[in-house]
Amino acid sequence: MAVSAILYDGQTAARQIVIVEAYATKLDIRFEDGRHDSVPVDELTRSGKDGGAVRLGREGHEGWRLILPEPLPQAFVDILPTGSRYGGFIDRIGIAPAIIVLAGITALILFGAYASPKLVAPIIPPKWEENVGDAMVGDFGERRCRSDEAEAAILSLIDRLDPGEYAMEVEAAILDLDWENAAALPGGHIVLFDGAISEWDDPDAVAGVIAHEVAHVRERHVTEALVRELGIGALIRLFADDLGANAQAIMGLSYTRENESEADDSAIRMLERAKIDPRPTSELFDRFAEMAGEPIFNGFLDSHPVSADRAEQFADSYDAERSYRPAFTTTEWAAIKAACSD
């Protein structure tokens, strides 16, 4: 049985409508212009669900994404990689043993949360965070700018910055809010505010900030900040779906200077890997440093404390002998700029 699906090929930000058929060892993809592509099932990776759809990636094809509507025909269910029900850890050992293990984790959290959030954060299952993050992004509702082209452009950039397979997939969204900010949320979600896109007019500077937020996700800084600032009681209520009481607090989480230094170091490595010029990010942080003494409402400085040497660190990573590539194509950047005006 064939189904209609959405494909991003990783080469452009274009959204393509395709027809997909499932066979024993492959998916056959038929394009509107008559072309065909045969994708071996063992190259497919499952990156979760998004609004009632299954999202697939393809090993060795940066930025490639296939979005299939649910419910899937049985022929697809039988051959596609499976997603986790509770999270990889629980799925592997079973629900009963997991309860015992998680009880021990809870005791450890209660003992160590106030003493060392950095030690507690890595042992909190990513699936718990994902449930919170999914609910938060869903709650933005009409504030979320629905532009497949813009989100695909940002995800393609993230694949350049941070390729590889991780337990927590990074998802990106643009919000129609006039805040000069970007934020990493629980569960691997990164949100970029339209006010930031308008003010930070250099796409390479935006790429630097996105790399910084991806680093916060990878280093589990969001979880660490949750433990440190909300307290263990609120954290347990949060993971038990009491989102409303703490959503505003989550948006206001701030990071320690150690967190910021780690995220900067990782962001610089990501920009080097993606061959993106770090100087626009340096100039943006210079601007932040100048604004550090000014009252800024909902600004980047509210959640990301600055120090005088951060801009210099990015500037020093510039290599005059290196050949740099733009973070986005002209078409991709235009889609991002227009995301909230469509």
Side-chain angles (χ1 to χ4, degrees):
M1 179 180 178
V3 299
S4 178
I6 298 170
L7 175 70
Y8 296 99
D9 60 15
Q11 305 303 310
T12 70
R15 177 177 184 266
Q16 303 180 68
I17 305 299
V18 296
I19 301 298
V20 185
E21 289 189 80
Y23 295 90
T25 60
K26 67 178 182 178
L27 292 183
D28 184 71
I29 300 176
R30 186 165 67 251
F31 296 83
E32 291 181 325
D33 61 6
R35 290 180 296 122
H36 280 254
D37 188 14
S38 181
V39 181
V41 170
D42 58 10
E43 290 184 6
L44 295 173
T45 60
R46 188 156 179 165
S47 56
K49 297 181 180 180
D50 183 7
V54 172
R55 299 181 61 219
L56 300 173
R58 186 176 180 183
E59 292 180 358
H61 293 72
E62 183 179 299
W64 191 95
R65 279 178 169 77
L66 182 65
I67 304 173
L68 297 165
E70 288 195 307
L72 290 174
Q74 192 60 42
F76 286 82
V77 174
D78 289 342
I79 65 168
L80 291 181
T82 58
S84 60
R85 183 179 179 188
Y86 300 105
F89 158 70
I90 297 177
D91 288 341
R92 283 195 301 273
I93 70 172
I95 188 66
I99 290 173
I100 298 171
V101 173
L102 293 176
I105 291 175
T106 301
L108 180 59
I109 290 174
L110 289 169
F111 175 77
Y114 294 107
S116 185
K118 194 173 186 68
L119 293 178
V120 173
I123 65 174
I124 293 177
K127 193 66 177 178
W128 292 5
E129 268 194 69
E130 289 171 10
N131 292 338
V132 175
D134 291 346
M136 285 189 68
V137 173
D139 283 349
F140 288 127
E142 295 181 358
R143 289 289 191 179
R144 181 172 180 176
C145 305
R146 301 288 178 176
S147 170
D148 292 331
E149 292 79 9
E151 290 187 9
I154 295 173
L155 290 173
S156 179
L157 170 69
I158 292 172
D159 282 339
R160 280 177 60 193
L161 293 168
D162 190 39
E165 295 293 324
Y166 296 93
M168 190 179 294
E169 185 85 3
V170 176
E171 302 287 348
I174 301 173
L175 302 183
D176 189 11
L177 292 167
D178 192 24
W179 296 354
E180 194 176 340
N181 203 355
L185 302 181
H189 291 279
I190 292 174
V191 293
L192 188 62
F193 299 99
D194 190 49
I197 294 170
S198 300
E199 291 293 328
W200 307 342
D201 203 37
D202 191 313
D204 287 353
V206 173
V209 172
I210 290 173
H212 182 92
E213 299 304 330
V214 171
H216 280 315
V217 170
R218 294 295 178 229
E219 299 291 340
R220 302 298 299 274
H221 290 162
V222 182
T223 317
E224 186 180 330
L226 285 169
V227 175
R228 183 178 59 251
E229 296 193 23
L230 295 187
I232 192 62
L235 187 64
I236 291 172
R237 290 195 302 273
L238 186 65
F239 288 138
D241 295 330
D242 184 16
L243 179 63
N246 294 301
Q248 188 62 38
I250 294 171
M251 290 301 296
L253 288 176
S254 62
Y255 301 109
T256 65
R257 293 192 183 278
E258 182 185 0
N259 291 157
E260 289 301 285
S261 178
E262 290 176 348
D264 283 349
D265 289 344
S266 293
I268 287 170
R269 290 194 297 271
M270 289 182 205
L271 293 176
E272 289 175 349
R273 182 187 298 120
K275 298 182 179 179
I276 296 172
D277 190 337
R279 291 175 297 175
T281 306
S282 171
E283 292 165 5
L284 182 61
F285 280 174
D286 260 336
R287 175 171 166 246
F288 291 156
E290 292 171 3
M291 298 164 64
E294 301 177 12
I296 305 169
F297 180 69
N298 288 325
F300 189 82
L301 303 184
D302 293 341
S303 54
H304 300 72
V306 295
S307 60
D309 61 351
R310 291 182 66 184
E312 184 178 351
Q313 187 179 359
F314 278 87
D316 287 347
S317 70
Y318 173 74
D319 183 351
E321 309 242 337
R322 179 182 282 266
S323 177
Y324 289 106
R325 295 169 49 197
F328 302 103
T329 66
T330 302
T331 301
E332 288 172 336
W333 183 238
I336 291 169
K337 295 280 283 185
C340 296
S341 59
D342 293 343

